[in-house]
């Protein structure tokens, strides 16, 4: 064998079986059953930005209504729906899913893992997120869009004050999307702790991976609170429980406590991945700029 040539060996049976295991089926079935973390990450990002555009249209509608006094572009009831849906989409369908979409795509690559932990759960979490988002988007078409704010405080959303299905749509959507976020957080934690490449110790992990790890732990502790709040609200409305009904021994402040157990960590869930990006991008380009400046002085 001459210098520069590489010996090529036929793939072993183990290689062929591994390739068959990770092969993506063709056609519509393959597209629907895809579980590769890069594919799912891209879907999260594309879907998240689509919801961002939808929320932007709602924001423009509100700005147009408020552009001048006594404007009659939209009525007060529809304004409540637009305001509530805009806030809900931005908080639950854009901010968190976008950060998790980047993490789903990048973290396995950064830690040297072949795939994210529990890839089928990863795919399932995306479909949960998509279904919950389409649910609230379709609510406009059937005139049951949420109208009690993106926080849906009780007693305003109790059956006595909101007898329509609007609050039910909001609460069910929250349950779907937060289950999705919780599943992604568990996958990222397991991937970072158990699937790192040999030699990738914790102190060698990129800053973005550390940010994703911290955010994932925050999601694990924060999301169950809002899921519990939305589930208790549905139970109050549909099966006549009294978690938040003060006339029957409930407590309206309980909802606020549960909601803000989620709401305060939400700020850092949104912020920390961006801080991780900046902490990696600026040093990289600062070195590049420094090297170019030294070259230009020669």
């Amino acid at each position: 064998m001459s210098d520069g040539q590489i010996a090529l060996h036929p793939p072993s049976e183990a290689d062929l079986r591994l390739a068959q295991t990770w092969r993506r089926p063709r056609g519509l079935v393959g597209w629907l059953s895809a579980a590769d973390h890069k594919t799912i990450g891209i879907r999260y990002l594309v879907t998240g930005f689509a919801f961002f555009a939808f929320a932007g249209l709602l924001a423009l509608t509100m700005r147009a209504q408020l552009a001048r006094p006594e404007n009659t572009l939209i009525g007060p009831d529809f304004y409540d729906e637009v305001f509530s849906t805009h806030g809900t989409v931005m908080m639950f369908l854009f901010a968190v899913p976008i950060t998790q979409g980047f993490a789903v795509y990048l973290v396995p690559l950064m830690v040297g893992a072949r795939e994210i932990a529990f890839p089928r759960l990863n795919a399932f979490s995306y479909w949960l997120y998509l279904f919950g988002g389409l649910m609230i988007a379709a609510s406009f078409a059937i005139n049951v869009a949420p109208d009690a704010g993106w926080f849906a405080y009780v007693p305003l959303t109790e059956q006595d004050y909101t007898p329509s299905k609007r609050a039910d749509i909001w609460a069910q959507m929250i349950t779907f999307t937060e289950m999705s976020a919780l599943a992604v957080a568990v996958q990222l934690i397991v991937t970072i702790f158990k699937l790192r490449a040999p030699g990738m110790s914790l102190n060698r992990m990129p800053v973005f991976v550390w940010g994703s790890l911290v955010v994932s732990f925050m999601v694990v502790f924060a999301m169950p609170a809002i899921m519990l709040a939305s589930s208790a609200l549905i139970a109050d409305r549909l099966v006549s429980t009294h978690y938040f009904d003060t006339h029957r021994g409930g407590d309206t402040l309980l909802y606020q406590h549960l909601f803000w157990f989620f709401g305060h960590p939400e700020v850092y869930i949104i912020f920390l991945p961006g801080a991780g990006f900046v902490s990696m991008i600026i040093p990289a380009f600062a070195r590049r700029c420094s090297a170019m400046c030294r070259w230009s002085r020669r």
Side-chain angles (χ1 to χ4, degrees):
M1 182 184 304
S2 61
D3 294 340
Q5 290 183 336
I6 301 175
L8 299 178
H9 301 283
S12 64
E13 182 180 356
D15 293 333
L16 295 175
R17 293 179 62 183
L18 189 61
Q20 178 68 20
T21 300
W22 291 95
R23 180 182 64 87
R24 174 178 169 179
R26 296 181 179 179
L28 179 62
V29 174
W31 188 85
L32 292 174
S33 62
D36 178 65
H37 73 96
K38 296 185 291 296
T39 301
I40 302 301
I42 291 173
R43 290 181 183 179
Y44 264 110
L45 296 175
V46 171
T47 307
F49 278 111
F51 284 127
F52 178 73
F54 172 56
L57 292 176
L58 297 178
L60 288 175
T61 303
M62 288 190 291
R63 300 303 187 273
Q65 170 62 27
L66 300 174
R68 61 185 180 86
E70 305 298 332
N71 199 350
T72 58
L73 177 64
I74 59 176
D77 292 336
F78 189 66
Y79 184 91
D80 286 344
E81 297 174 27
V82 171
F83 169 81
S84 302
T85 305
H86 166 76
T88 300
V89 171
M90 288 299 295
M91 293 300 296
F92 298 103
L93 299 178
F94 171 71
V96 175
I98 281 293
T99 60
Q100 290 192 321
F102 279 113
V104 165
Y105 189 99
L106 294 173
V107 166
L109 300 177
M110 287 182 169
V111 300
R114 182 183 182 90
E115 181 56 83
I116 195 170
F118 316 121
R120 289 185 176 85
L121 178 62
N122 188 36
F124 176 69
S125 68
Y126 168 76
W127 293 114
L128 270 181
Y129 159 62
L130 178 63
F131 184 77
L134 293 178
M135 190 178 190
I136 196 170
S139 65
F140 272 90
I142 56 178
N143 196 29
V144 289
D147 61 352
W150 70 271
F151 33 79
Y153 276 167
V154 296
L156 179 61
T157 49
E158 288 284 357
Q159 190 70 34
D160 293 340
Y161 300 98
T162 307
S164 66
K165 294 296 182 182
R166 299 181 187 278
D168 298 328
I169 292 291
W170 182 91
Q172 190 61 64
M173 184 278 300
I174 294 300
T175 303
F176 282 139
T177 55
E178 302 317 303
M179 284 179 60
S180 170
L182 189 60
V184 172
V186 171
Q187 297 158 44
L188 291 173
I189 291 172
V190 176
T191 300
I192 293 171
F193 279 128
K194 293 296 185 181
L195 300 183
R196 299 193 309 274
M200 175 62 74
S201 58
L202 290 175
N203 63 334
R204 292 181 177 178
M205 291 194 314
V207 176
F208 177 74
V209 177
W210 270 109
S212 299
L213 179 63
V214 173
V215 165
S216 296
F217 274 111
M218 296 176 72
V219 168
V220 168
F221 284 100
M223 294 305 176
I226 187 65
M227 291 169 60
L228 182 60
S230 63
S231 299
L233 177 60
I234 291 178
D236 273 10
R237 293 178 54 84
L238 299 184
V239 296
S240 300
T241 57
H242 309 298
Y243 292 106
F244 310 124
D245 188 351
T246 55
H247 297 293
R248 298 175 177 84
D251 187 359
T252 56
L253 289 179
L254 173 61
Y255 180 90
Q256 296 186 30
H257 291 322
L258 291 173
F259 183 89
W260 288 108
F261 282 159
F262 151 80
H264 287 295
E266 171 84 352
V267 177
Y268 302 99
I269 290 170
I270 297 170
F271 169 75
L272 286 178
F277 273 129
V278 172
S279 299
M280 293 184 63
I281 292 172
I282 289 181
F285 280 88
R287 288 198 301 270
R288 179 70 174 271
C289 179
S290 176
M292 292 181 65
C293 291
R294 288 196 301 269
W295 177 81
S296 63
R297 292 170 184 169
R298 294 177 180 176

